[in-house]
Amino acid sequence: MTLRLRMTLVIAAAITLTVLVFAVLVYALVGHELRKNEDLSLRRESDRIIQLIQTDPNWQGFSQCTWVRSPACAQLVAPTPSDDPDAGAGPALPITGQMREVASGGSPAFFTEATIGDDPIRVYVRPLPNQRALVVGVRDDRVLASFERLGWLLAATVLGALLVAAGTAYLAARRGLRPVDRLTAVAEGIARTGNTDIRIPRSNTTEIQRLGSAFNTMLGELEQSRRQQEQLIADASHELRTPLTSLRTNAAMLRNPELEQSSKERITGALEHELMGMQSLVEDLIDLARHEEAPAFVEDMDLHELVLYCMDNAKRRYPGIEWSLEGSQDHILVSGERARLARAIANLLDNAGKFTPAASKFTPEAREVTPGPGRVRLVLSVSKTNVTLDVRDTGPGIPEQDLAHVFDRFYRSTNARSVAGSGLGLAVVHNVAIAHHGTARAHPSPSGAHFSLTLPLAQGS
């Protein structure tokens, strides 16, 4: 069943039910008023007859009810049939035991229905003095006919309301769902062509406009994601082309039988260096392909120990630099994927190591430049809910205009273009931080570079 048909049925049912309830109320109200007026007429007729009895004590009523075709007929009833006035003639009105109880004083006045021949009548029975009761009847067929006509009229009204409601509901559903049809057509077009540049036109309906805006936002995100994927593939192809060419060249040179041993060793070292660079590049690409995906395996770990492990590796890779770790030495528990967090920290330290060469130190007393190590300073600071790792180096620093872009993929500032690298390491740091509900920032610094990685503490730590 389509949404349009369901809306039509629901709206038509609601309108029809409303009209039906109104019709029932009208029928009940009009019927009550008709019956009320008829009963009031019988009461007045009984009052008139009582006045006749008071003026003529010998009045015996109309036992044969010869006025049955007239507005009303009347009859006197005694507690027992043998005591009825004019008992020999026999009553024309149907007399019941309850009517005789009224005559004996055992029952109050009441209204009831009866028939004389084929004529329905409305009967009113009220007590009189001296153990008698007055029974007054009036033809009821006109009132019943009015009830029947009213019932047919209201039934026709409900049926007409149903037809009108169905037509109105269909038109309303068709008009109301027109923006949804446009939205569906756009979605089908995107699914058919794969073109995410299409946008939903604005609608005058608030709800549809909100839906269209949300859909357009989703299309924008999809378009941006698609472009990022295409850019990642293009950049990865470009970055992999150079080391692959170098590997192929060095491998071809190794096949030369006349190559000296020293050259072979030099080429083998170059191959190992290129392979390590490619391994790092592939790992960065894998991390970036995961984007800001939540950690696959979450565990609690001591961030202080993880930073020490990464710093030891960085010391072996950059032995000419002085490394130090300051701040809290206690267990600092964070939750996440150990391998990804270790790679993010290692990328931060590798970035600092690459741009902090063995520095030179000027000695004023000797008026000469003496060799001195560069320095990378790590600081762990803990707050109530977070832990922050600050990494400061004594390299050339980051120009202020580049601070907002250092975490972009393949972005390399002017100072970094002379240093080997793919421009992916800091992008990986940013993605890993976001995936672990943290942040990665580059801060302005008067000397060197200053990066920070902030992570939430593990629950219960």
Side-chain angles (χ1 to χ4, degrees):
M1 183 181 296
T2 63
L3 178 59
R4 182 178 288 106
L5 179 57
R6 287 199 296 267
M7 288 184 63
T8 300
L9 293 178
V10 170
I11 297 174
I15 296 176
T16 304
L17 181 61
T18 302
V19 174
L20 179 62
V21 172
F22 179 76
V24 171
L25 292 176
V26 169
Y27 185 82
L29 180 60
V30 173
H32 174 73
E33 290 298 322
L34 287 175
R35 187 63 75 190
K36 180 180 178 180
N37 291 334
E38 185 180 32
D39 292 345
L40 180 60
S41 176
L42 283 173
R43 287 178 185 274
R44 290 174 178 175
E45 182 67 14
S46 66
D47 292 338
R48 187 185 67 81
I49 293 174
I50 288 176
Q51 290 178 356
L52 290 176
I53 294 174
Q54 289 174 351
T55 57
D56 183 8
N58 296 322
W59 188 86
Q60 300 297 321
F62 311 103
S63 60
Q64 298 299 326
C65 202
T66 54
W67 290 358
V68 71
R69 298 293 178 182
S70 300
C73 59
Q75 186 173 334
L76 295 177
V77 177
T80 59
S82 60
D83 294 334
D84 284 341
D86 198 11
L93 286 170
I95 306 300
T96 64
Q98 187 178 2
M99 295 178 182
R100 298 193 183 279
E101 289 181 4
V102 173
S104 62
S107 178
F110 67 92
F111 291 92
T112 186
E113 284 81 24
T115 57
I116 298 179
D118 295 331
D119 297 320
I121 59 174
R122 178 73 171 173
V123 178
Y124 176 51
V125 183
R126 63 182 294 180
L128 294 176
N130 301 323
Q131 290 193 333
R132 290 186 302 174
L134 176 62
V135 181
V136 183
V138 66
R139 286 181 59 184
D140 201 28
D141 51 347
R142 295 179 181 176
V143 176
L144 294 178
S146 298
F147 273 120
E148 185 176 359
R149 287 195 298 272
L150 178 62
W152 282 110
L153 177 62
L154 292 176
T157 302
V158 172
L159 181 60
L162 174 61
L163 297 177
V164 173
T168 304
Y170 178 78
L171 294 177
R174 182 178 179 181
R175 181 178 179 85
L177 292 177
R178 193 172 299 162
V180 179
D181 293 337
R182 291 198 297 266
L183 183 65
T184 303
V186 171
E188 291 175 346
I190 293 173
R192 184 174 59 256
T193 63
N195 182 13
T196 56
D197 292 333
I198 305 174
R199 293 296 181 266
I200 304 296
R202 292 179 61 87
S203 173
N204 295 328
T205 306
T206 303
E207 291 78 6
I208 299 299
Q209 182 176 342
R210 289 177 57 193
L211 178 61
S213 299
F215 195 82
N216 287 336
T217 301
M218 181 189 69
L219 288 177
E221 295 293 336
L222 287 175
E223 177 65 16
Q224 182 179 2
S225 176
R226 183 177 64 83
R227 290 176 180 174
Q228 288 177 346
Q229 290 177 358
E230 292 175 352
Q231 185 65 34
L232 177 63
I233 293 173
D235 291 337
S237 301
H238 174 74
E239 293 295 329
L240 288 171
R241 186 176 293 115
T242 300
L244 285 175
T245 302
S246 177
L247 285 173
R248 186 166 55 250
T249 301
N250 289 329
M253 293 176 63
L254 285 176
R255 288 197 296 269
N256 185 359
E258 299 178 359
L259 192 65
E260 297 180 358
Q261 183 63 29
S262 59
S263 299
K264 289 183 179 180
E265 292 178 355
R266 178 177 56 81
I267 294 174
T268 302
L271 283 173
E272 292 179 352
H273 179 74
E274 292 291 344
L275 287 173
M276 290 180 61
M278 283 194 64
Q279 180 182 0
S280 177
L281 176 61
V282 170
E283 290 175 352
D284 285 341
L285 289 173
I286 292 174
D287 277 328
L288 288 176
R290 298 176 67 178
H291 195 49
E292 296 169 5
E293 177 185 343
F297 177 74
V298 177
E299 61 177 321
D300 290 347
M301 68 198 79
D302 188 349
L303 184 63
H304 183 265
E305 291 183 359
L306 190 61
V307 172
L308 280 177
Y309 169 78
C310 295
M311 189 174 70
D312 289 341
N313 291 336
K315 286 180 179 180
R316 287 192 292 271
R317 188 169 184 181
Y318 302 99
I321 298 174
E322 179 183 340
W323 298 84
S324 65
L325 175 59
E326 304 173 13
S328 175
Q329 301 296 316
D330 299 329
H331 291 290
I332 307 172
L333 294 181
V334 295
S335 295
E337 189 173 345
R338 181 182 296 271
R340 295 183 69 185
L341 285 176
R343 180 151 191 83
I345 297 171
N347 283 0
L348 278 179
L349 303 188
D350 184 68
N351 182 78
K354 285 189 299 185
F355 293 99
T356 308
S360 298
K361 182 168 59 177
F362 178 74
T363 307
E365 295 80 5
R367 295 287 181 178
E368 63 181 0
V369 177
T370 58
R375 183 182 183 190
V376 177
R377 178 169 170 253
L378 282 65
V379 179
L380 275 173
S381 55
V382 181
S383 65
K384 291 183 179 180
T385 58
N386 299 318
V387 56
T388 300
L389 171 64
D390 288 282
V391 180
R392 300 173 185 266
D393 61 50
T394 56
I398 304 172
E400 186 174 354
Q401 65 271 18
D402 292 331
L403 287 174
H405 304 286
V406 293
F407 292 109
D408 295 344
R409 297 178 182 180
F410 300 101
Y411 181 82
R412 307 195 73 191
S413 65
T414 305
N415 296 340
R417 292 173 185 172
S418 60
V419 180
S422 63
L424 294 177
L426 293 179
V428 171
V429 174
H430 178 266
N431 279 8
V432 172
I434 296 299
H436 288 77
H437 309 289
T439 57
R441 295 178 182 173
H443 304 274
S445 177
S447 62
H450 176 198
F451 289 91
S452 66
L453 174 64
T454 300
L455 298 170
L457 293 171
Q459 294 183 357
S461 63

